[in-house]
Amino acid sequence: MRRRILTLFVASAAVAALAVPAAAQDAGSPPPQTQIVGGSIAPAGSYGWTAALIRRGASRTSGFRCGAVVLSRSWVLTAGHCVLDYDDDYPDSVYGNYVAPSFLDVLTSTQSLSSGGQRLQVAAIYPHPSYNIATSDYDVALLRIARPTSAAEIAVIGTSGSEKALDDPGTTAIVSGWGTTSYRGPISTSLRYVGVPIQSDATCGSSYYPGFTDNGELLEYHASNMLCAGPMGGGRDSCQGDSGGPLAVQAPDTSWRLVGTVSFGLGCAQPNYPGVYQRLTATTSWIGNTRRFGPFNPDGLAYVARQYLDFVGRNPTPSEAATWINHLRSNPAADIITSLQASSAWDGNAGMNTRLYRAAFLRNPDTSGLDFWVRQRWGGRGPVSIANHFTASSEFKAKYGSLSTNDFVTRIYQNVFNRDPDSGGRTYWVNKLNRGIGRGQMLYELSNSSEYRRKTDTSVRIITTRFGLLRTVPSAGEITASEAISQRTLIDTLRTSQRYANRFNG
Ligand code: ARG
């Protein structure tokens, strides 16, 4: 027998024959409401984090299965029951198993089920480890998408005191989706939303009391991981097809928080039966842990390997990989980037090259130049050899003309220390240059002095951090903006950015 919480399945776009389980046919329920139920079409640009789960290969309307929520460039949240094979209609169908990721797409960045937006393949499905099909406990699943979405994202409610207050009873939350506009009615091709008041645990628990069933299906409210929302008089609710979609509240500062995902209810919009949602404060840390490596698998291996490739120029050894994976289990994901960015390997490459650019040309490196010299350094070319190339370059000649040895020494002192050389310094370098050391030797040594490193430390850190993660150098404005934030925040901002996701699966 099919379960009451059956995922929506539209057999034909025209008829919209929903595979609504038999359990729902309760006699004595009020006539169906019209409208998500009781809501309105979402204004353009609103609730942009609302996504849909579509069966791969099917049309967007006939394949529409569930709602979903965009949490980041690579991660989408939905309901656990939305990734279960209830309908026996997948190629490798085993009733009740989790669906293979290759049978699902996520539709994002559109308010229309039928046009626009991005249809993205699901790369991996992570159901909550405590999801219980029989009780609907922890009815959530994370999806990692194969290409980054450009949709708006919504922050999951946090666990601090002020965050926890955001889903207090009495708060009006917004649920959005393309689900049916009445119980057993048609889906909506335009995104709809409706405001629903969050009810107290006592109220939810007396509606969906222990042992309450509907045609043999358990409909119990479990306050530890559920919340319910909707007016006790009925009329406004989520409905079939909204499952997995967002229940969102606006914080006092007007930013939005995801407090729940659509899970179940008795019918839709019936008096005394508010919709039941997963309470996301119960899963905040599972969500955070699972999605912490952005576009990479939560096991951390690909994430760690990527950082070694970007900052060290090679794969990690098995022991380096194991050490970091272990460290990152209980520490911030940014740690490995913080450490490798500051390592002598990266400082002696991207840092060294950046200082050469500034000392030779009084400018920051451009992306293609830095990329070229970073690869040269990894290829075994030494700093002095690179510096010799800089002092002999056409840019150097164009900027300063052909310099005598004496004028060269003055120029480098000016560029690096903003002063003329003292007489001892001048004699020392002129003699060395006359005895045949290359000009690059002097450029490298002065640009590598502790005085110059101190002076350039902040810009070099910002440039080499951004280049390390995005393979692009920051603009002047981006450098200024980065000066105002901590290195940890800078790293987290870059590694969760659209550009970063685009590097690997754009
Ligand atoms: N289980 C339904 C689905 O798969 C969602 C039911 C929500 N019901 C409600 N009354 N709020 O789409």
Side-chain angles (χ1 to χ4, degrees), residues 32 187 229 248 269 312 357 360 364 376 382 394 427:
I187 59 169
V312 193
Y357 267 94
N364 287 325
Q376 289 279 306
S394 51
T427 309

Side-chain angles (χ1 to χ4, degrees), residues 4-8 66 81-82 237-243 262-269 275-277:
R4 188 206 49 78
I5 55 167
L6 191 71
T7 304
L8 175 76
C66 264
H81 76 263
C82 291
D237 198 3
S238 45
C239 205
Q240 265 58 42
D242 289 322
S243 277
V262 179
S263 185
F264 68 88
L266 180 74
C268 299
V276 182
Y277 297 79

Side-chain angles (χ1 to χ4, degrees), residues 47-53 64 66-70 76 106-109 178 245-246:
Y47 314 115
W49 46 78
T50 313
L53 206 54
F64 174 65
C66 264
V69 200
V70 173
V76 168
V106 175
L107 179 67
T108 71
S109 325
W178 293 271

Side-chain angles (χ1 to χ4, degrees), residues 246-490:
L247 183 74
V249 301
Q250 212 165 5
D253 70 355
T254 77
S255 62
W256 288 86
R257 293 297 182 289
L258 184 67
V259 302
T261 46
V262 179
S263 185
F264 68 88
L266 180 74
C268 299
Q270 296 198 73
N272 299 315
Y273 291 99
V276 182
Y277 297 79
Q278 282 304 305
R279 181 189 290 280
L280 292 185
T281 48
T283 48
T284 309
S285 72
W286 172 75
I287 292 171
N289 273 323
T290 306
R291 58 174 269 202
R292 59 208 297 259
F293 298 130
F296 304 103
N297 194 292
D299 71 17
L301 182 56
Y303 173 74
V304 166
R306 186 69 250 166
Q307 307 321 322
Y308 268 80
L309 288 169
D310 284 345
F311 290 93
V312 193
R314 60 166 173 83
N315 273 299
T317 64
S319 104
E320 285 167 337
T323 301
W324 274 114
I325 288 168
N326 189 47
H327 175 90
L328 296 176
R329 265 194 263 278
S330 48
N331 291 283
D335 272 16
I336 182 173
I337 299 169
T338 308
S339 166
L340 294 181
Q341 189 282 328
S343 69
S344 56
W346 191 237
D347 177 71
N349 187 341
M352 175 274 294
N353 278 310
T354 300
R355 287 185 291 270
L356 287 182
Y357 267 94
R358 295 173 63 109
F361 307 135
L362 299 172
R363 67 168 176 94
N364 287 325
D366 51 285
T367 293
S368 65
L370 186 56
D371 188 64
F372 177 83
W373 292 113
V374 162
R375 289 169 196 275
Q376 289 279 306
R377 182 77 192 90
W378 276 337
R381 187 158 175 180
V384 172
S385 166
I386 296 172
N388 276 327
H389 185 98
F390 278 46
T391 55
S393 68
S394 51
E395 181 171 353
F396 198 85
K397 281 205 185 74
K399 203 163 167 67
Y400 309 113
S402 289
L403 297 174
S404 68
T405 301
N406 192 57
D407 288 347
F408 176 80
V409 170
T410 305
R411 173 48 52 201
I412 299 303
Y413 264 82
Q414 280 291 351
N415 284 6
V416 172
F417 301 129
N418 297 81
R419 62 171 170 85
D420 282 343
D422 53 290
S423 67
R426 181 185 299 282
T427 309
Y428 173 84
W429 283 111
V430 167
N431 284 344
K432 277 187 99 158
L433 289 163
N434 285 340
R435 268 184 269 115
I437 66 149
R439 288 186 171 190
Q441 180 83 39
M442 181 186 171
L443 174 68
Y444 170 64
E445 284 191 31
L446 267 62
S447 72
N448 196 40
S449 65
S450 54
E451 182 179 338
Y452 193 63
R453 297 170 68 100
R454 249 194 323 276
K455 202 163 100 179
T456 57
D457 180 56
T458 300
S459 329
V460 169
R461 172 178 58 77
I462 291 167
I463 291 165
T464 62
T465 299
R466 191 182 183 91
F467 180 79
L469 287 164
L470 303 185
R471 254 40 197 182
T472 180
V473 297
S475 66
E478 285 163 341
I479 292 179
T480 308
S482 302
E483 283 168 0
I485 58 178
S486 70
Q487 175 69 350
R488 163 85 180 277
T489 302
L490 175 61

Side-chain angles (χ1 to χ4, degrees), residues 56-81:
R56 178 93 43 95
S59 86
R60 286 160 49 152
T61 45
S62 71
F64 174 65
R65 308 199 63 83
C66 264
V69 200
V70 173
L71 303 185
S72 70
R73 302 306 88 215
S74 306
W75 290 92
V76 168
L77 188 65
T78 188
H81 76 263

